[in-house]
């Protein structure tokens, strides 16, 4: 029993030790004189990098500038957002549809920028949802979510949305194994070993970014945690860390921390692709939502798809291999050359670095240590380049600067450590405040990192900022890594809980066709109103469609009568402005809905079911001109069965009807 | 006709002129060398001030540090927030109840800190909702919303939530006049002049902050825009700006901009109080929600109240007086001495400053120019201290530094202008990028401003930051006002759309009993679980109550069987941690709900209605320890009518039941 609990007990002790020593320290001594100038972006000047930060439990993606740490945008992705109307207006509701129905929230953990030839290309950003497994694609011309695909046979979609070097695939692995969707899932939880599986999804990305599940690999029921694609020489392979190879289903804190080594699973996806092309994939009946937003109609639709192709890892012996990796591996990171795979055991005190060449030789020479659930296990030493000795406690994630250096975060010892990829020597270390999780270097997981800055996303905040009651913001720190030594230059708070983040040079995105407004002549929304003269109110049974326009500083129409209790009113508001940064908002008193925030040239629809008779004001909610406050109107709501005729106007009074 | 449209036409021309000249300028020439050092707050150091910024169309309040411009907290107030569970969990749903039912969004325009003797006291922050009229109270010990009161007889609750100098009252005025709630509201919109009213609400604030509507004043149907209480010598009075004294109901852009002067309404609320005490208030039947959050039970309740006391401004001739004020007055600001009332006509090119003493004399001597809708109109010159001549175009708001200076924002000419309150001479001016709306000086509307910084909340962003598609963040700018000349030190982006903001010295709030966690022994939640041994699962018909605990790093129980389709499952999760900054999250796959984000010592409840049979994982969504990822569990969902018995466990397997 002693041995059995050792690893878990050690871990608990480590964590307890950390927490008891997590007293405020004065970090000013590590801030040198030029830090202010380095972090400062003068008014009117631009930041050097965009930083795309996962929102964690906010469900959204946030966009910061580097080095200023300023928040430029929260992009609604997986959570309903009453402020923008995302998930509330009729156009975007389908984006949050799933096989479980409408889901208004998720836990967004990792972001990944699209790549061409292994280099960040500035086209799209992918984001994963952990809780109800999904992948989203954000278009970086508009900074809006264009597509969301659900992943069947999965739960706890954590090792996602990492990509291959030409964005051929976005992957997604299962962290919380479950019975496959087509099996009888009504089984005892303690039949985990027999019935639970961990599926890996390979989602194909088309030329315009469109996603579809190409195939899934049915893998053992363990917890797939993180992943990264091979690149350069290792292009064609994907690497997934996994823990809970004990296959525990209760008190994982102890029961999933028993073994000294879990695994990194190496997946030869090119070989898997061949099997699929050869028709070896097995069709499985499933249900998953595929939601797409059409730029021409300004409207999303949700389709439920019913089938995936599956390859079983037990059956196809040459696509999956297990590499032993110490103590609950978490981060799984591949260096810019594609030769080195860094495994970070979150309860370990060393970092194993594996060699892709050695791995290939080991496979060729069958240097195996038996099998795990039907998958060959490579001998640890056979794939190992070497270990970074005593780097710190609790390594989590590693990024690269393109100059031969790796940077690893340590949660338990609360620091970032810089080390040489080839010699495995530790070169520098800096404390973090407190307990860093992920880190990001611009382009730091690509073939061509941009370097210069390193951002640490810390898990514990405590006394770093002015207190705000029991709930505190999360804390990030920016380091200048252009010199030999890392230099802390700024603490900045972040929204939600950041996990992985990516960054790209400002010009790569800024000069890549940023959309400033929607051209009104290209607006093919089914309820568009392209000019004030076309504005109207149309009744279809108890549905009333208001074709409304907004332009500084009035709505057309702005007086509407003849609405009755029992009606469903749809305000289709077209913003006629054709200039940058002139959105209009639309809100109506008492609505059980969000607002509309309508970009120039766009049409958005608010559904409103009035619950009381009387006069109900509506107005523009986004300050648009000196006469913004005058941008208001009234709707008269009469009792059901009223004889008040449908009528609307702008600038002239409607005939008085009692 | 020419004259009739002049004011509107001029305004449109002004706005057009501004927009055509709103080209990017390089503002670096106005940033001097020490700006970086002045705005920089080194890692580990604290900001000097808290800045409580209205979220506008986000519906929330955001908390920034000054001078760093860093966002420390978004406090959920009027919008549902899936990330924190606010408006999603069972405890907080009642907070968003209204007489219209559950309302998940609003437009939050102004914040006001509580005061004692006219000085900011750091206890509470009040916030208004524009769209569905409400006032909220945020407790600054926890930075959470404790109370929301709806305002009957109102719409477009804009001139709110300004307070009297001992926080006796929070006021709220009607911007969009409507027929009173007890009238037949089903009237023609063009009967505005006969049927529409603008009510002013006086909400009494108790010693513990508890709110109740003391009385309302029925006022003419105009647009009450902004307000401020008198202070010092003018304590006992309140001042409300109003526009649309034309009483237009369509195309207000033109039709509400006809008159050269609208009004500031001076209200003698002490006199009104006397009438109420004397039983002169008329009872009116209305419906409004009053929502309160109980710190002991961690739970909100919503009551619908049915009556208000009303005084009619036409009937009680000595409580309301109209002071003419040029061109659609917007801001209505009272200097620290209480003697000067600044009216800002948003289409004007001058600023009138009124004298409280002269106003009192004018009333005494009946220096009236007839009546407006039964209310005496003071002669303009009789109340006027003087006019600030040619200060800029489109004055909006004024704050004070306590040294005899006033600072006014100009939307159209896009600048902040400093002027001497007594001499009315312009002392300094700085450009803003672009088109400033509100401004804030710490304590700047109190008797004792703290000065030092001035923050401009700008309405147009354009090229100030890296672009993010059609939608851009809003932009604020911080100026150092400690010297004779204002010095721009930082641009910082803000969430939602900031309108009014308040700021207070950090220590005033930090040292005022900040709550770090909830004491578990004081947790009187009806479904609290005070220790793991008490955790259990209880079935009551088709309702299943899960009494669950969370502590690093497991839930108790973490395996649950016997849930069936058709059940409503309530996860009542108590976070047993008793330390600062150790929240736990709770999410379950496929839920059509937000997450739970549970502060230490708190209990929160997630309602879950499973829609599929099978094994459903749940997990902790807030990274809490090195073994956070292991903090997960499973629920088995069986078909309706299944014989699988209700069972739960932690650390040991449940007996297998097929």
């Amino acid at each position: 029993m002693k041995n059995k609990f050792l690893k878990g007990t050690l871990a608990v002790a480590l964590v307890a030790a950390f927490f008891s020593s997590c007293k405020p320290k004065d970090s000013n001594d590590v801030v040198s004189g030029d830090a202010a100038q380095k972090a400062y972006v003068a008014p009117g000047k631009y930041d050097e990098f965009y930083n795309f930060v996962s929102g964690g439990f906010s469900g959204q993606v946030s966009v910061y500038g580097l080095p200023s740490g300023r928040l430029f945008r929260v992009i609604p992705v997986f959570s309903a957002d009453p402020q923008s109307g995302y998930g509330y207006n009729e156009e975007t509701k389908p984006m949050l549809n799933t096989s479980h129905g409408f889901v208004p929230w998720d836990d967004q953990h990792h972001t990944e920028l699209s790549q061409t030839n292994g280099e960040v290309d500035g086209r799209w950003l992918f984001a994963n949802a952990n809780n109800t497994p999904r992948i989203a694609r954000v278009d970086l011309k508009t900074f809006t979510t264009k597509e969301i695909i659900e992943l069947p046979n999965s739960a706890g979609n954590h090792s996602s949305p990492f990509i291959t070097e030409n964005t051929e695939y976005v992957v997604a692995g299962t962290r919380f194994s479950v019975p496959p969707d087509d099996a009888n899932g009504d089984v005892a939880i303690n039949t985990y070993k027999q019935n639970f599986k961990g599926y890996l999804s390979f989602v194909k990305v088309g030329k315009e970014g469109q996603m579809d599940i190409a195939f899934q690999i049915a893998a053992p029921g363990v917890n797939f945690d993180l992943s990264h694609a091979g690149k350069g020489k290792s292009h064609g392979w994907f690497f997934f860390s996994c823990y809970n190879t004990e296959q525990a289903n209760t008190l994982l804190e102890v029961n999933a921390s028993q073994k000294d080594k879990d695994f990194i699973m190496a997946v030869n996806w090119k070989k898997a692709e061949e099997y699929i092309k050869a028709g070896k994939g097995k069709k499985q009946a499933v249900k998953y939502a595929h939601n797409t937003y059409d730029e021409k109609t300004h409207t999303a639709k949700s389709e439920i798809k019913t089938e995936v192709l599956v390859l079983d890892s037990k059956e196809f012996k040459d696509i999956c291999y297990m590499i032993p990796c110490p103590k609950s591996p978490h981060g799984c990171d591949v260096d810019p050359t594609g030769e080195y795979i860094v495994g970070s055991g979150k309860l370990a005190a060393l970092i194993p670095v594996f060699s892709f060449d050695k791995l290939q030789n080991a496979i060729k020479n069958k240097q195996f240590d038996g099998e795990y659930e039907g998958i060959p296990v490579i001998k640890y030493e056979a794939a190992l380049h070497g270990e970074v000795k005593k780097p710190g406690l609790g390594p989590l994630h590693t990024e690269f600067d393109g100059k031969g250096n790796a940077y690893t975060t340590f949660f338990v010892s609360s620091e970032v450590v810089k080390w040489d990829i080839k010699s495995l020597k530790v070169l520098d270390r800096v404390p973090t405040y407190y307990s860093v999780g992920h880190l990001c270097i611009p382009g730091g997981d690509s073939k061509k990192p941009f370097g210069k800055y390193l951002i640490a996303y810390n898990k514990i905040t405590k006394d770093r900022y002015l207190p705000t009651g029991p709930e505190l913001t999360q804390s990030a720190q920016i380091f200048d890594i252009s010199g030999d030594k890392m230099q802390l230059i700024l603490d900045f708070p972040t929204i939600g809980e950041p996990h992985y983040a990516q960054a790209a040079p400002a010009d790569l995105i800024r000069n890549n066709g940023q959309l400033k407004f929607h051209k009104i002549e290209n607006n093919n929304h089914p309820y568009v109103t392209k000019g004030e003269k076309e504005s109207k109110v149309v009744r279809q049974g108890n549905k009333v469609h208001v074709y409304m326009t907004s332009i500084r500083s009035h709505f057309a129409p702005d007086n509407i009568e003849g609405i009755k209790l029992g009606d469903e009113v749809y305000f289709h508001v077209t913003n006629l402005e054709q200039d940058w940064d002139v959105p209009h908002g639309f809100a109506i008193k008492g609505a059980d809905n969000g607002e509309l925030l309508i970009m120039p040239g766009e049409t958005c629809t608010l559904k409103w079911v009035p619950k009381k008779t009387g006069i109900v004001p509506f107005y523009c909610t986004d300050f648009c001109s000196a006469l913004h406050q005058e941008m208001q109107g009234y709707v008269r709501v009469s009792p059901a069965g009223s004889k008040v005729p449908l009528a609307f106007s702008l600038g002239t009074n409607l005939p008085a009807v009692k």
Side-chain angles (χ1 to χ4, degrees), chain A:
Chain A
M1 277 304 273
K2 204 178 168 188
N3 279 345
K4 195 177 168 195
F5 281 86
L6 185 63
K7 191 169 138 196
T9 310
L10 170 70
V12 172
L14 282 175
V15 175
F18 169 72
F19 274 95
S20 64
S21 68
C22 162
K23 292 295 258 184
K25 298 171 201 170
D26 188 349
S27 57
N28 283 296
D29 51 352
V30 296
V31 180
S32 53
D34 61 348
Q37 290 297 344
K38 284 187 171 177
Y40 187 66
V41 175
K45 292 285 189 193
Y46 284 157
D47 277 87
E48 293 168 65
F49 293 93
Y50 283 94
N51 190 197
F52 299 96
V53 183
S54 59
F57 53 64
S58 84
Q60 319 296 41
V61 168
S62 51
V63 183
Y64 292 85
L66 300 176
S68 74
R70 294 179 298 180
L71 174 62
F72 295 147
R73 183 81 188 276
V74 176
I75 305 172
V77 183
F78 293 113
S79 291
D81 183 39
Q83 129 166 20
S84 64
Y86 183 81
Y88 283 92
N89 62 40
E90 296 305 298
E91 286 75 8
T92 56
K93 276 180 188 170
M95 292 301 282
L96 299 181
N97 192 39
T98 72
S99 64
H100 305 264
F102 183 84
V103 170
W105 170 88
D106 216 306
D107 184 15
Q108 199 285 295
H109 270 235
H110 310 120
T111 57
E112 183 90 332
L113 287 161
S114 58
Q115 294 183 11
T116 303
N117 297 323
E119 297 179 19
V120 172
D121 61 25
R123 291 180 295 166
W124 311 303
L125 181 82
F126 297 92
N128 71 321
N130 251 4
N131 187 50
T132 302
R134 285 168 289 170
I135 294 173
R137 179 172 57 86
V138 170
D139 188 329
L140 295 180
K141 288 187 172 67
T142 55
F143 285 66
T144 56
T145 303
K146 285 288 158 64
E147 192 172 2
I148 293 182
I149 195 162
E150 192 181 359
L151 303 161
N153 292 320
S154 184
N157 170 40
H158 198 258
S159 46
S160 175
F162 300 99
I163 60 164
T164 53
E165 70 176 29
N166 287 298
T167 320
E168 294 95 339
Y169 291 101
V170 182
V171 305
T174 298
R175 193 172 64 183
F176 304 140
S177 286
V178 284
D181 286 0
D182 65 340
N184 171 23
D186 179 25
V187 296
I189 298 169
N190 74 9
T191 65
Y192 185 106
K193 291 183 194 191
Q194 303 93 284
N195 290 320
F196 288 39
K197 294 281 169 203
Y199 277 58
L200 309 176
S201 302
F202 283 75
V203 176
K204 191 85 191 154
V205 180
K207 282 192 180 166
E208 302 301 318
Q210 69 277 22
M211 299 189 286
D212 204 0
I213 301 176
F215 60 91
Q216 293 190 313
I217 295 174
V222 295
N223 293 36
F224 288 99
D225 203 12
L226 280 155
S227 68
H228 262 105
K231 51 177 80 94
K233 62 163 75 170
S234 54
H235 180 60
W237 288 74
F238 229 104
F239 304 95
F240 294 84
S241 61
C242 61
Y243 66 99
N244 190 22
T245 55
E246 298 87 347
Q247 302 190 309
N249 56 270
T250 181
L251 198 58
L252 267 67
E253 175 185 19
V254 174
N255 296 326
S257 303
Q258 301 304 310
K259 292 189 179 173
D260 271 347
K261 288 197 175 71
D262 296 289
F263 299 117
I264 287 174
M265 187 160 94
V267 177
N268 185 341
W269 60 261
K270 286 231 165 162
K271 180 63 77 177
E273 227 179 20
E274 285 171 22
Y275 285 126
I276 291 293
K277 274 185 196 150
K280 305 279 191 186
K282 202 173 278 178
K283 285 183 185 170
Q284 188 187 323
V286 292
K287 277 192 184 167
Y288 65 97
H290 185 192
N291 311 331
T292 50
Y293 183 89
D294 182 333
E295 289 182 50
K296 289 175 187 155
T297 61
H298 299 200
T299 302
K301 67 167 194 279
S302 177
E303 276 181 276
I304 296 292
K305 298 194 167 174
T306 56
E307 198 177 85
V308 285
L309 285 176
V310 178
L311 297 171
D312 191 323
S313 62
K314 284 185 186 173
E315 191 180 334
F316 299 91
K317 292 285 187 184
D318 54 355
I319 52 174
C320 297
Y321 301 90
M322 292 298 203
I323 310 170
C325 187
K327 295 186 184 297
S328 298
H330 187 59
C332 182
D333 301 293
V334 180
D335 91 310
T337 69
E339 165 63 6
Y340 300 109
I341 301 113
V342 181
S344 295
K346 66 193 183 223
L347 303 177
L350 58 79
I351 307 171
V353 179
F354 301 100
S355 152
F356 181 72
D357 288 344
K358 288 180 103 174
L359 171 69
Q360 294 306 305
N361 278 330
I363 291 170
K364 208 166 100 187
N365 301 327
K366 296 198 190 306
Q367 292 172 281
F368 298 147
D369 246 352
E371 290 190 343
Y372 178 85
E373 297 277 326
I375 299 174
V377 177
I378 309 279
K379 282 182 193 292
Y380 179 66
E381 295 291 343
L384 191 71
H385 165 58
E387 292 170 345
V388 185
K389 303 285 190 190
K390 298 193 177 171
L393 290 177
L396 291 189
H397 303 281
T398 301
E399 292 250 301
F400 306 93
D401 65 3
K403 298 174 186 171
N405 303 307
Y407 299 75
T408 301
T409 56
F410 290 82
F411 176 83
V412 178
S413 55
S414 194
E415 58 190 334
V416 176
V417 175
K418 176 182 178 181
W419 49 278
D420 183 281
I421 305 173
K422 283 191 184 156
S423 73
L424 305 173
K425 279 191 184 141
V426 170
L427 303 173
D428 189 24
R429 62 177 66 238
V430 286
T432 57
Y433 300 88
Y434 303 96
S435 293
V436 61
H438 280 273
L439 80 168
C440 164
I441 292 171
D445 75 342
S446 75
K447 279 167 85 169
K448 193 182 150 195
F450 304 100
K452 188 152 187 185
Y453 299 113
L454 179 155
I455 309 95
Y457 302 96
N458 302 320
K459 293 299 183 190
I460 295 169
T461 303
K462 300 272 187 193
D463 59 348
R464 294 304 286 181
Y465 304 112
L466 289 176
T468 56
E471 192 179 342
L472 300 171
T473 184
Q474 310 280 324
S475 182
Q477 299 187 285
I478 306 178
F479 298 86
D480 178 343
I481 58 165
S482 56
D484 284 345
K485 296 287 173 187
M486 295 177 271
Q487 181 195 5
L488 174 63
I489 60 172
L490 187 73
D491 273 29
F492 73 103
T494 52
I495 62 146
E497 180 181 41
H499 297 266
Y500 190 46
Q502 294 243 300
D507 286 351
L508 189 64
I509 288 159
R510 193 160 76 90
N511 299 336
N512 193 24
Q514 280 293 302
L515 189 77
K516 294 192 170 182
F517 58 86
H518 302 274
K519 285 190 184 158
I520 193 79
E521 65 264 32
N522 297 340
N523 180 334
N524 290 321
H525 190 289
Y527 293 95
V528 67
T529 310
K530 293 201 177 182
E532 279 182 21
K533 285 183 184 165
E534 295 171 32
S535 66
K536 62 187 173 185
V537 183
V538 176
R539 173 178 290 282
Q540 292 176 333
N542 76 326
K543 289 189 169 55
V544 178
H545 293 279
V546 181
Y547 294 73
M548 183 179 271
T549 61
S550 64
I551 196 162
R552 282 163 288 180
S553 292
H554 57 269
F555 293 104
D558 72 356
N559 280 196
I560 299 172
E561 300 196 353
I563 304 298
K564 298 170 203 171
L565 282 186
D567 284 347
E568 284 178 9
V569 183
Y570 293 85
F571 293 99
H572 309 286
V573 187
T574 300
N575 180 347
L576 295 177
E577 308 280 356
Q578 291 286 275
D579 191 8
W580 197 25
D581 198 21
V582 198
H584 289 292
F586 178 85
I588 185 158
K589 182 182 166 183
D592 60 350
N593 206 334
E595 68 159 355
L596 298 179
L597 193 59
I598 317 146
M599 295 302 121
E602 192 180 30
T603 304
C604 294
T605 301
L606 188 89
K607 180 181 174 182
W608 176 56
V609 182
K611 296 185 190 74
K612 299 179 183 179
T613 61
I615 300 293
V616 190
F618 59 85
Y619 70 104
C620 174
T621 56
D622 193 328
F623 204 102
C624 52
S625 79
L627 291 161
H628 156 74
Q629 308 241 99
E630 281 75 0
M631 194 162 171
Q632 65 154 106
Y634 288 110
V635 177
R636 174 182 180 180
V637 179
S638 302
S642 159
K643 291 273 167 28
V644 176
L646 200 63
F648 55 94
S649 73
L650 169 69
T652 54
N653 276 327
L654 296 170
V657 178
K658 279 196 187 169

